[in-house]
Amino acid sequence: MKTEKGVALVVYKKKRGKKRFLILKRNKNWKGWEIPKGHLEDEDYIKTVKQELKEEAGIPEEKIEKIENLNQDLEWTYTDEEGQEVKREYRGYVVETSEAASVDVTQNPHEEHETGFFMKKEDVKSLLTYENQKELLNLAT
């Protein structure tokens, strides 16, 4: 079985002292709500965190205030187009952005997401499609 590594991001900003978490509405390959995630680039997890946040949510590196490894991986398997089973191992990170950070999915080169928002934790948790992402959200807060 082929294994793909990557990152899964619980992203938040503080607005008037309260945390608001990032959620994205996916429309490529499947429809639903998710946290930002993506394939590992050059075996550099921190570089990948910054790149995926920029690509998927339009949040540049200058708006990132803190990146923390959650020491928790999301793992799942799927069947690719050729019928081969693939295992994904995505390392979880929590990312704090500046209050000025905003979501812009229009620059995503893969057009994966329709929109995105910063919302209250309980609202994000109620919308997330996959349980493992809900668990990661709980670990991060």
Side-chain angles (χ1 to χ4, degrees):
M1 176 185 313
K2 182 171 120 178
T3 300
E4 297 176 347
K5 295 185 181 283
V7 298
L9 312 176
V10 175
V11 181
Y12 74 92
K13 67 179 180 178
K14 291 180 183 168
K15 191 169 183 177
R16 294 188 289 277
K18 297 184 180 181
K19 290 182 180 179
R20 297 292 182 254
F21 294 86
L22 177 61
I23 189 166
L24 300 169
K25 186 173 185 185
R26 187 164 184 103
N27 64 1
K28 183 178 180 184
N29 300 329
W30 60 276
K31 294 190 183 301
W33 294 89
E34 68 175 351
I35 59 176
K37 60 183 179 27
H39 297 290
L40 183 62
E41 304 289 336
D42 304 322
E43 295 299 313
D44 186 331
Y45 283 92
I46 299 301
K47 177 181 174 184
T48 303
V49 166
K50 294 173 183 176
Q51 181 174 333
E52 291 301 327
L53 196 53
K54 174 73 174 142
E55 283 182 7
E56 295 205 353
I59 299 174
E61 186 175 341
E62 318 67 86
K63 304 273 183 178
I64 296 173
E65 295 189 350
K66 181 170 57 171
I67 300 171
E68 184 180 335
N69 185 343
L70 286 171
N71 297 312
Q72 177 72 32
D73 288 350
L74 295 186
E75 295 182 1
W76 70 96
T77 59
Y78 73 98
T79 304
D80 68 13
E81 301 85 30
E82 292 137 23
Q84 182 180 1
E85 195 169 22
V86 179
K87 180 179 182 183
R88 287 206 168 152
E89 296 175 353
Y90 278 34
R91 187 172 294 169
Y93 285 87
V94 61
V95 180
E96 181 179 358
T97 66
S98 70
E99 187 174 344
S102 61
V103 182
D104 177 7
V105 299
T106 62
Q107 300 304 309
N108 185 308
H110 309 292
E111 298 180 345
E112 296 170 278
H113 302 102
E114 180 181 315
T115 191
F117 306 98
F118 280 97
M119 303 170 73
K120 294 178 184 175
K121 177 186 174 185
E122 57 269 18
D123 294 334
V124 169
K125 191 172 178 183
S126 73
L127 288 172
L128 284 171
T129 301
Y130 292 106
E131 288 300 317
N132 62 358
Q133 292 186 14
K134 292 177 186 182
E135 292 167 14
L136 199 63
L137 176 65
N138 283 336
L139 276 176
T141 56

